[in-house]
Amino acid sequence: MTSGGLTGTISDTVARIRQEVCRLHEQLTRWELVTWTSGNVSARVPGADLMVIKPSGVSYDDLTPESMVVTTLDGDVVDGNHSPSSDTDAHAYVYRHLPQVNGVVHTHSPYATAWAARDEAIPCVLTAMADEFGGEIPVGPFALIGGDDIGKGIVATLEGHRSPAVLMRNHGVFTIGASAKAAVKAAVMCEDVARTVHIARTGGPLVPIEPRHIDALYERYQGVYGQR
C-alpha cells in the first residue's frame, strides 16, 4: 500500500471525501444494513479519476478517515495503508460507465437480500417506492466477488431503470447516487420497503400501483418534495 502520494488541491479534496465516506459508514450500522465487516461505501473524487472506498475486513468501530483507501477508477491503489474493499473493482466499473454516479453503496441488509436470494424483484406497491425508485427494484445477475463482473451486472440491470438500487442475485444490494449520501439513503430505503412489502405479502396478494400514478409520484418527489 502507499501513503502520502497525493499533494496540493487534490490532497485537500481527498481528505474531505475520506471524512465523508468514513462518516457515512456509521449510517450502515445505524440502520442495521450490515453485519461484522460486510458492506461498503465509496465516493468519486471530483475533478480526478479517483475514488475513496472502505478498507477490506476492517471493523466498523475501527474505521477512520485515514483508513479509507484511495484508488483509481481501474481499482489501483493510489493512497492508503490498507487493502481496499473486495468490491473495489465493481465500484470502479460503475464509476467508469455511469459518469453521473458519484456514490456507490453495498450492503447485505436482510430483507432486501432475501428478495435477492429468491431472484425476485421488489414490486412497486408503495408510494415510497414510487417516490424513491420510480418503479420496482430490479434483480441483477449472479456474479462472483473480486472482479468487475458485479459492476457489469449493476450497470446492465440499471440501464433503462429509474431505480438507484439493484438486488444482485444470491448476494445483496448495490445502490448508486449523485452523491455518496444519496446512495446511502437509497440503501436505507431499499431495506425499508423490502421489509414492508415482505410483511404485506404474508397477509395476502399485493396491490400494484398503476404506472401513471408511479410516474406522477416519482416526478413530484424528485422535483418538488423537500427544500429547493
mmCIF file of all heavy atoms in Angstrom, residues 107-124:
data_model
loop_
_atom_site.group_PDB
_atom_site.id
_atom_site.type_symbol
_atom_site.label_atom_id
_atom_site.label_comp_id
_atom_site.label_asym_id
_atom_site.label_seq_id
_atom_site.Cartn_x
_atom_site.Cartn_y
_atom_site.Cartn_z
ATOM 1 N N THR A 107 -24.606 -3.398 0.532
ATOM 2 C CA THR A 107 -24.993 -3.970 1.823
ATOM 3 C C THR A 107 -25.527 -5.388 1.618
ATOM 4 O O THR A 107 -25.836 -5.790 0.495
ATOM 5 C CB THR A 107 -26.102 -3.154 2.527
ATOM 6 O OG1 THR A 107 -27.372 -3.458 1.927
ATOM 7 C CG2 THR A 107 -25.834 -1.663 2.462
ATOM 8 N N HIS A 108 -25.625 -6.104 2.727
ATOM 9 C CA HIS A 108 -26.321 -7.384 2.754
ATOM 10 C C HIS A 108 -27.533 -7.269 3.674
ATOM 11 O O HIS A 108 -27.828 -8.179 4.444
ATOM 12 C CB HIS A 108 -25.395 -8.492 3.264
ATOM 13 C CG HIS A 108 -24.204 -8.732 2.402
ATOM 14 N ND1 HIS A 108 -23.055 -9.328 2.876
ATOM 15 C CD2 HIS A 108 -23.960 -8.470 1.093
ATOM 16 C CE1 HIS A 108 -22.156 -9.408 1.898
ATOM 17 N NE2 HIS A 108 -22.688 -8.897 0.819
ATOM 18 N N SER A 109 -28.233 -6.152 3.607
ATOM 19 C CA SER A 109 -29.362 -5.928 4.508
ATOM 20 C C SER A 109 -30.367 -7.073 4.360
ATOM 21 O O SER A 109 -30.661 -7.526 3.253
ATOM 22 C CB SER A 109 -30.013 -4.581 4.229
ATOM 23 O OG SER A 109 -30.465 -4.477 2.891
ATOM 24 N N PRO A 110 -30.898 -7.591 5.479
ATOM 25 C CA PRO A 110 -31.538 -8.907 5.461
ATOM 26 C C PRO A 110 -32.781 -9.048 4.597
ATOM 27 O O PRO A 110 -32.920 -10.033 3.866
ATOM 28 C CB PRO A 110 -31.852 -9.175 6.936
ATOM 29 C CG PRO A 110 -31.738 -7.867 7.627
ATOM 30 C CD PRO A 110 -30.749 -7.081 6.850
ATOM 31 N N TYR A 111 -33.710 -8.114 4.671
ATOM 32 C CA TYR A 111 -34.941 -8.292 3.900
ATOM 33 C C TYR A 111 -34.682 -8.130 2.402
ATOM 34 O O TYR A 111 -35.168 -8.935 1.586
ATOM 35 C CB TYR A 111 -36.022 -7.310 4.372
ATOM 36 C CG TYR A 111 -36.702 -7.765 5.641
ATOM 37 C CD1 TYR A 111 -36.197 -7.406 6.888
ATOM 38 C CD2 TYR A 111 -37.841 -8.564 5.589
ATOM 39 C CE1 TYR A 111 -36.812 -7.834 8.056
ATOM 40 C CE2 TYR A 111 -38.472 -8.998 6.752
ATOM 41 C CZ TYR A 111 -37.955 -8.628 7.980
ATOM 42 O OH TYR A 111 -38.571 -9.064 9.131
ATOM 43 N N ALA A 112 -33.926 -7.111 2.023
ATOM 44 C CA ALA A 112 -33.633 -6.919 0.601
ATOM 45 C C ALA A 112 -32.818 -8.086 0.056
ATOM 46 O O ALA A 112 -33.050 -8.557 -1.067
ATOM 47 C CB ALA A 112 -32.889 -5.602 0.390
ATOM 48 N N THR A 113 -31.874 -8.584 0.844
ATOM 49 C CA THR A 113 -31.059 -9.710 0.398
ATOM 50 C C THR A 113 -31.900 -10.976 0.282
ATOM 51 O O THR A 113 -31.631 -11.846 -0.570
ATOM 52 C CB THR A 113 -29.876 -9.917 1.350
ATOM 53 O OG1 THR A 113 -29.078 -8.723 1.355
ATOM 54 C CG2 THR A 113 -28.996 -11.077 0.904
ATOM 55 N N ALA A 114 -32.944 -11.103 1.098
ATOM 56 C CA ALA A 114 -33.848 -12.249 0.978
ATOM 57 C C ALA A 114 -34.557 -12.240 -0.379
ATOM 58 O O ALA A 114 -34.755 -13.295 -0.994
ATOM 59 C CB ALA A 114 -34.870 -12.238 2.108
ATOM 60 N N TRP A 115 -34.942 -11.062 -0.857
ATOM 61 C CA TRP A 115 -35.521 -10.969 -2.197
ATOM 62 C C TRP A 115 -34.485 -11.378 -3.243
ATOM 63 O O TRP A 115 -34.803 -12.078 -4.208
ATOM 64 C CB TRP A 115 -36.019 -9.547 -2.464
ATOM 65 C CG TRP A 115 -37.260 -9.168 -1.714
ATOM 66 C CD1 TRP A 115 -37.324 -8.697 -0.432
ATOM 67 C CD2 TRP A 115 -38.609 -9.217 -2.186
ATOM 68 N NE1 TRP A 115 -38.626 -8.451 -0.072
ATOM 69 C CE2 TRP A 115 -39.441 -8.756 -1.135
ATOM 70 C CE3 TRP A 115 -39.201 -9.595 -3.390
ATOM 71 C CZ2 TRP A 115 -40.824 -8.673 -1.255
ATOM 72 C CZ3 TRP A 115 -40.584 -9.498 -3.513
ATOM 73 C CH2 TRP A 115 -41.383 -9.047 -2.458
ATOM 74 N N ALA A 116 -33.237 -10.948 -3.043
ATOM 75 C CA ALA A 116 -32.164 -11.316 -3.983
ATOM 76 C C ALA A 116 -31.926 -12.822 -3.988
ATOM 77 O O ALA A 116 -31.626 -13.411 -5.029
ATOM 78 C CB ALA A 116 -30.877 -10.579 -3.615
ATOM 79 N N ALA A 117 -32.066 -13.466 -2.834
ATOM 80 C CA ALA A 117 -31.879 -14.911 -2.738
ATOM 81 C C ALA A 117 -32.953 -15.672 -3.504
ATOM 82 O O ALA A 117 -32.725 -16.801 -3.954
ATOM 83 C CB ALA A 117 -31.877 -15.346 -1.270
ATOM 84 N N ARG A 118 -34.126 -15.046 -3.661
ATOM 85 C CA ARG A 118 -35.202 -15.658 -4.433
ATOM 86 C C ARG A 118 -35.154 -15.244 -5.907
ATOM 87 O O ARG A 118 -36.008 -15.662 -6.689
ATOM 88 C CB ARG A 118 -36.570 -15.259 -3.855
ATOM 89 C CG ARG A 118 -36.846 -15.792 -2.463
ATOM 90 C CD ARG A 118 -38.335 -15.621 -2.111
ATOM 91 N NE ARG A 118 -38.749 -14.231 -2.185
ATOM 92 C CZ ARG A 118 -38.780 -13.395 -1.141
ATOM 93 N NH1 ARG A 118 -38.381 -13.807 0.050
ATOM 94 N NH2 ARG A 118 -39.198 -12.165 -1.289
ATOM 95 N N ASP A 119 -34.183 -14.392 -6.264
ATOM 96 C CA ASP A 119 -34.093 -13.876 -7.641
ATOM 97 C C ASP A 119 -35.388 -13.163 -8.015
ATOM 98 O O ASP A 119 -35.926 -13.323 -9.107
ATOM 99 C CB ASP A 119 -33.795 -15.002 -8.636
ATOM 100 C CG ASP A 119 -33.396 -14.482 -10.023
ATOM 101 O OD1 ASP A 119 -32.961 -13.315 -10.119
ATOM 102 O OD2 ASP A 119 -33.518 -15.244 -10.997
ATOM 103 N N GLU A 120 -35.874 -12.349 -7.087
ATOM 104 C CA GLU A 120 -37.187 -11.724 -7.252
ATOM 105 C C GLU A 120 -37.096 -10.215 -7.063
ATOM 106 O O GLU A 120 -36.617 -9.728 -6.036
ATOM 107 C CB GLU A 120 -38.174 -12.315 -6.247
ATOM 108 C CG GLU A 120 -39.590 -11.837 -6.412
ATOM 109 C CD GLU A 120 -40.544 -12.524 -5.442
ATOM 110 O OE1 GLU A 120 -40.091 -13.371 -4.640
ATOM 111 O OE2 GLU A 120 -41.751 -12.204 -5.491
ATOM 112 N N ALA A 121 -37.572 -9.483 -8.061
ATOM 113 C CA ALA A 121 -37.651 -8.031 -7.946
ATOM 114 C C ALA A 121 -38.691 -7.647 -6.894
ATOM 115 O O ALA A 121 -39.659 -8.381 -6.663
ATOM 116 C CB ALA A 121 -38.012 -7.414 -9.295
ATOM 117 N N ILE A 122 -38.494 -6.486 -6.269
ATOM 118 C CA ILE A 122 -39.484 -5.987 -5.312
ATOM 119 C C ILE A 122 -40.488 -5.143 -6.102
ATOM 120 O O ILE A 122 -40.127 -4.109 -6.669
ATOM 121 C CB ILE A 122 -38.831 -5.139 -4.213
ATOM 122 C CG1 ILE A 122 -37.726 -5.939 -3.509
ATOM 123 C CG2 ILE A 122 -39.882 -4.684 -3.197
ATOM 124 C CD1 ILE A 122 -36.936 -5.125 -2.496
ATOM 125 N N PRO A 123 -41.754 -5.564 -6.166
ATOM 126 C CA PRO A 123 -42.731 -4.836 -6.977
ATOM 127 C C PRO A 123 -43.092 -3.487 -6.365
ATOM 128 O O PRO A 123 -43.022 -3.308 -5.145
ATOM 129 C CB PRO A 123 -43.941 -5.783 -6.992
ATOM 130 C CG PRO A 123 -43.813 -6.559 -5.723
ATOM 131 C CD PRO A 123 -42.343 -6.731 -5.491
ATOM 132 N N CYS A 124 -43.471 -2.556 -7.215
ATOM 133 C CA CYS A 124 -43.791 -1.207 -6.741
ATOM 134 C C CYS A 124 -45.234 -1.167 -6.258
ATOM 135 O O CYS A 124 -46.173 -0.935 -7.036
ATOM 136 C CB CYS A 124 -43.566 -0.190 -7.851
ATOM 137 S SG CYS A 124 -43.705 1.518 -7.270
#
